[in-house]
Amino acid sequence: MNSTKKMFADYRPAESRSDPASRLTADPSSRLLSERRYLNEIELANRWGMSPKTLTRWRGLGKGPVFAKFSKKVAYPMDGPGGVLDFEQRQLYISTSERVKP
């Protein structure tokens, strides 16, 4: 290892040297945020057996489940109103002419 790499190899910020579990339990609201699950476009397309292009088109038309944008990344929340699970529930039918009532 050259001297530059060796000099920075052991450097870690102070918070990363402490027990990582203690940082997670310190603030309950941050723990709740980290538990929220999202699917990316490819994961959702695979789950539903469709092309990711279909989801792209639906976003432009205002169809499909709600989504969040993180810079250029698109993510679909699993839970919550309008999320993936809610959207799937609303797509259930009893017969070809009658939707399942909530």
Side-chain angles (χ1 to χ4, degrees):
M1 187 168 6
N2 69 30
S3 63
T4 307
K5 285 185 179 178
K6 193 174 192 180
M7 185 170 67
F8 292 106
D10 294 330
Y11 174 76
R12 289 182 292 160
E15 65 263 3
S16 68
R17 284 183 248 146
S18 64
D19 179 28
S22 66
R23 288 196 322 264
L24 292 176
T25 57
D27 183 12
S29 64
S30 67
R31 200 175 91 230
L32 291 175
L33 289 175
S34 68
E35 290 175 3
R36 185 153 190 198
R37 269 196 40 143
Y38 287 86
L39 295 178
N40 66 32
E41 192 173 58
I42 295 171
E43 291 169 334
L44 184 57
N46 287 337
R47 178 184 176 105
W48 288 349
M50 63 174 51
S51 167
K53 292 264 188 192
T54 302
L55 294 171
T56 303
R57 192 177 73 242
W58 283 5
R59 284 196 309 273
L61 296 172
K63 292 175 62 173
V66 296
F67 62 94
K69 286 194 81 169
F70 303 102
S71 185
K72 293 182 180 181
K73 304 245 182 222
V74 175
Y76 294 89
M78 287 294 292
D79 303 315
V84 172
L85 297 175
D86 183 48
F87 184 80
E88 289 174 345
Q89 187 65 33
R90 288 183 281 132
Q91 303 309 308
L92 298 177
Y93 286 83
I94 293 172
S95 68
T96 56
S97 61
E98 187 178 351
R99 286 189 185 257
V100 171
K101 306 226 183 331

